[in-house]
Amino acid sequence: MKLGLKTQTLPADAAAVAEAARLLAAGGLVAFPTETVYGLGADATQAPAVARIYEAKGRPAFNPLIAHVADIRAAADIARFDATALTLAEAFWPGPLTLVLPKTAQCPVAELATAGLDTVAIRIPAHPVARDILRAFGGAVVAPSANISGHVSPTTAAHVASDLTGRVDLIVDGGPVAVGVESTIVACFEEPMLLRPGGLPREDIERVLGRPLRRLPEDAADNDAQPLAPGMLASHYAPRSPVRLNATDVEPDEVLLAFGPAEVNGAHAAKAVMNLSETSELAEAAANLFGYLRILDAKGARAIAVMPVPHHGLGEAINDRLRRAAIGR
């Protein structure tokens, strides 16, 4: 990995958008905000640029990337949409939904970005800065989370800088993101299947479809050999400190990631306490999740104790990320 790049950080304005588009066209790496987390973008059609993403992140090359596009017309050049996929795209794009679809015959996305699969992961982000960059660039941009692979995902430009300064060309600072967990991923083949819970609750998708989403078997959902979609490695989103789930007390030399108004035994003696949402709002908890994990991880505690989080709505995505974080590195 070529380190020591001069990484520039620019506020999200017209000049930053133009510079981002220029760098992408030249094969550079640009970190930018989406509504879910910050993404690390490269031209999806340039294999050397895509390879730089894997290098910068230390990401396994068998782990596919999501292609981000500006509109449905650009998406149709990359992927084949059946009636179900079109229904979901019309209902939820732009937004935190990624569809895994068969590639078109002329799909321009580099094979490296799709990990050699016959499918491609694609979405239209809702964040205005991301959409401005995509429109200015005029093509597909692959963009995994802008962090070292396996680390806690970034929800601010400062998080990106802490992981990737010297590894990327530009960070576009659009402030904190709104959603705070990555996109929900649905594969549309014979039957639509939930591959990864995320920023769009499963219940909302099922309401539009009028039927339940299929679920992956547990062993396939954590397939480190060949993930079907991004974010499916068993160990992912992991802080350096061990994570202890469903904590009902705090042990000596631990920090606490709390949820809701309930108290837990020993919280008063914890090295630090951060509450995802004192009012038990799952949207607030999702937005705070990765940022709070980073803050608690920096305390150097023996472990991060995590209170239980309900599993409905966005809680499904929160618990998915916490479960993978608890597996460790």
Side-chain angles (χ1 to χ4, degrees), residues 11 20 30 36 69 71 75 82 84 87 114 147 154 169 197-198 239 241 247 261 289 293 318:
V30 177
T36 56
V69 295
D71 53 46
D82 62 11
T84 298
T87 295
T114 61
N147 60 320
D169 299 290
S241 304
L289 176 63
L293 277 175
I318 294 169

Side-chain angles (χ1 to χ4, degrees), residues 33-38 66-69 88-100 121-128 130-131 143 177-187 193-205 213 230 237 283 286-287 290 313-314 316-317 321:
T34 77
E35 72 277 19
T36 56
V37 299
Y38 272 70
I66 297 173
H68 296 69
V69 295
L88 293 176
E90 290 175 344
F92 298 115
W93 280 354
L97 173 67
T98 293
L99 298 177
V100 176
I122 189 168
R123 87 175 180 104
I124 301 175
H127 197 290
R131 301 196 71 195
V177 303
V179 176
V181 293
E182 294 82 357
S183 60
T184 301
I185 302 181
V186 173
M193 176 183 290
L194 180 67
L195 297 184
R196 179 183 76 180
L200 178 66
R202 173 176 49 84
E203 295 90 336
D204 292 359
I205 300 170
L213 287 165
Y237 318 109
F290 289 138
L314 286 173
E316 184 175 17
R321 303 311 189 271

Side-chain angles (χ1 to χ4, degrees), residues 134-153:
L134 289 167
R135 282 191 288 259
F137 173 61
V141 172
V142 287
S145 56
N147 60 320
I148 297 296
S149 187
H151 285 198
V152 178
S153 296

Side-chain angles (χ1 to χ4, degrees), residues 92-116:
F92 298 115
W93 280 354
L97 173 67
T98 293
L99 298 177
V100 176
L101 304 172
K103 295 177 182 176
T104 60
Q106 74 278 10
C107 178
V109 176
E111 285 287 322
L112 180 60
T114 61

